[in-house]
Amino acid sequence: MEKILNLLNIANTAIPKEKKLITTSLAKATWYLKKGDPVAIPTETVYGLAANIYNENAVKKIFEIKKRPAFNPLIVHVASIDSMEEVAENIPPIAYTLAEKFWPGPLTLILEKKSTILDCITAGKKTVAVRMPNHKMTLELIKRVGFPLAAPSANPFGSISPTSAQHVANYFKKELNVVLDGGECEKGIESTIVGFENGKVILYRLGVISKEMIESVVGEVELLNVDENQPKAPGMLHKHYAPKTKMIMSEQPLKRANEMLGSKIGLLIFGNENLPDSRYIAKNLSENGDVFEAAKNLYAHMHQLDEMGLELIIAQKFPDSGIGKSINDRLSRACWSEMNYTSTNIFSE
Ligand code: AMP
Ligand code: MG
């Protein structure tokens, strides 16, 4: 039935003429989404790989394209606060308070799902993740297609998230027909994920909206223990967002690099006190020491270092509070070695 409706919907729309994979054509993106093909979309966090939440086949294609295990639920993207009620029920008042404060924006809410929400989106859970992204093009797209979009990040599972249309095209040239180009992502790291359990607010994943920012609205919140063997959110897997090149974290990256002379090392640094030695390739996330700028540049700089054929990337550890804590979270998941390879992090292989 759904398929027939979808076909009727696009039957009177001509096949889009635009042939290029990277495009700004909302008409082309709309056509493919209605047809049931996933489309890459821009958001302020990272690029997403989106499909109609009511089309099971389309949603399943996302998992195939990403090689994402079925136990990893997807985030549903809506175009208004009211649309929360299309996908969730028994919404606690505090969820509305948070949505009013931070939406459109990089905050995902975990809510009780409506029965209309497909199990493949929620990985069989009774909860659904919902967010209203702060990107004009994508909000317009959601309104045009007339259904919310299920979308995880548009990268192969476990690898560095994409923050430009080109990053997505580099990953999925063959698999996709449309990468909707909305420029570089303004925030640059994945959304903060918040849930509600027994009247308490729980932080499942750190993001540009820091723990402190959430607490300023709702009082003290609990950060879920990230060492759990059964992570509630895949963003909490020990190895995630990872480059192909081995990466380690250090408070003094240059000193650490000097101890390893002879190796082909890249430095991922921050602020101006850490001026790079000319022997090393260095990428500075923010010379002014601006954590927002650093978050925005994080994945693009990691992508660049990863293409340079290095033996090792040494990333500078950030001051561990606010957004610095969220960046450290992503950096530590991007670091991997045989030494810290435990049973927990094989989840993201
Ligand atoms: P990604 O956009 O690739 O980071 O993936 C979406 C994120 O949302 C993953 O980390 C999911 O675990 C998280 N997520 C989606 N639905 C739920 C849910 N019902 N409970 C907890 N986390 C969720
Ligand atoms: Mg992801």
Side-chain angles (χ1 to χ4, degrees):
M1 178 66 179
E2 202 173 89
K3 265 186 199 159
I4 297 167
L5 281 177
N6 264 330
L7 286 174
L8 285 176
N9 243 334
I10 58 167
N12 47 10
T13 339
I15 297 174
K17 288 195 191 88
E18 165 72 274
K19 291 279 178 281
K20 284 195 249 63
L21 172 63
I22 297 179
T23 175
T24 55
S25 166
L26 282 173
K28 186 177 177 193
T30 302
W31 195 88
Y32 277 100
L33 283 169
K34 285 191 170 174
K35 177 172 171 274
D37 280 349
V39 159
I41 54 163
T43 81
E44 80 283 32
T45 59
V46 302
Y47 273 71
L49 191 53
N52 176 359
I53 63 160
Y54 300 118
N55 183 331
E56 186 163 6
N57 274 339
V59 173
K60 287 193 169 157
K61 283 184 201 165
I62 294 178
F63 285 87
E64 279 161 31
I65 293 172
K66 273 185 68 98
K67 298 197 168 58
R68 183 178 176 104
F71 66 73
N72 267 10
L74 310 179
I75 295 175
V76 169
H77 292 70
V78 293
S80 70
I81 295 183
D82 290 346
S83 304
M84 252 200 291
E85 289 156 23
E86 182 180 338
V87 296
E89 56 195 13
N90 298 325
I91 302 170
I94 205 155
Y96 285 99
T97 310
L98 285 167
E100 270 149 28
K101 171 83 183 166
F102 294 112
W103 283 9
L107 179 70
T108 297
L109 301 174
I110 306 295
L111 302 169
E112 208 175 297
K113 85 173 188 87
K114 276 214 161 141
S115 58
T116 44
I117 301 303
L118 296 166
D119 279 341
C120 59
I121 292 178
T122 65
K125 288 174 193 281
K126 292 200 163 58
T127 52
V128 62
V130 193
R131 168 170 119 77
M132 178 180 174
N134 190 11
H135 197 292
K136 266 195 185 145
M137 208 176 213
T138 289
L139 290 175
E140 175 60 29
L141 180 68
I142 297 169
K143 284 180 201 150
R144 276 202 195 195
V145 293
F147 42 76
L149 297 173
S153 52
N155 53 318
F157 186 63
S159 61
I160 311 173
S161 298
T163 55
S164 70
Q166 191 59 53
H167 290 156
V168 184
N170 294 346
Y171 280 139
F172 297 128
K173 240 183 246 76
K174 291 198 199 100
E175 293 82 356
L176 295 180
N177 291 308
V178 188
V179 177
L180 193 59
D181 189 357
E184 279 178 26
C185 300
E186 202 192 306
K187 300 293 181 196
I189 60 173
E190 296 79 359
S191 58
T192 303
I193 302 182
V194 161
F196 310 93
E197 287 179 26
N198 308 320
K200 278 199 203 151
V201 178
I202 314 281
L203 201 52
Y204 291 127
R205 181 170 74 183
L206 294 166
V208 168
I209 296 176
S210 62
K211 183 171 186 275
E212 291 85 340
M213 285 158 82
I214 301 285
E215 288 182 332
S216 73
V217 180
V218 301
E220 207 178 316
V221 302
E222 192 183 327
L223 178 61
L224 206 95
N225 179 6
V226 291
D227 288 332
E228 275 189 305
N229 279 338
Q230 283 296 317
K232 288 247 160 121
M236 291 163 52
L237 295 171
H238 288 285
K239 178 180 174 281
H240 210 87
Y241 318 114
K244 297 182 289 291
T245 315
K246 181 176 170 176
M247 184 163 141
I248 59 169
M249 258 169 107
S250 166
E251 299 206 351
Q252 292 174 290
L254 194 56
K255 184 164 172 276
R256 195 72 199 269
N258 286 335
E259 292 162 4
M260 298 181 178
L261 272 186
S263 304
K264 244 179 121 186
I265 293 174
L267 303 176
L268 190 60
I269 56 170
F270 167 71
N272 63 3
E273 72 275 21
N274 236 301
L275 288 176
D277 185 305
S278 58
R279 282 171 299 179
Y280 306 113
I281 291 161
K283 288 264 154 209
N284 198 325
L285 291 169
S286 169
E287 285 180 11
N288 305 324
D290 175 346
V291 279
F292 285 97
E293 186 183 19
K296 182 178 179 195
N297 289 331
L298 182 67
Y299 291 136
H301 285 14
M302 266 164 63
H303 276 288
Q304 284 173 12
L305 288 171
D306 205 21
E307 297 311 316
M308 287 177 175
L310 300 164
E311 286 167 57
L312 179 69
I313 300 169
I314 307 179
Q316 184 174 353
K317 192 168 183 239
F318 277 65
D320 208 31
S321 63
I323 298 154
K325 200 175 178 68
S326 309
I327 297 174
N328 283 340
D329 170 81
R330 300 302 191 277
L331 286 174
S332 65
R333 290 171 214 282
C335 293
W336 58 281
S337 72
E338 269 91 57
M339 260 169 59
N340 66 22
Y341 202 80
T342 65
S343 59
T344 346
N345 54 23
I346 58 169
F347 276 123
S348 54
E349 282 298 286

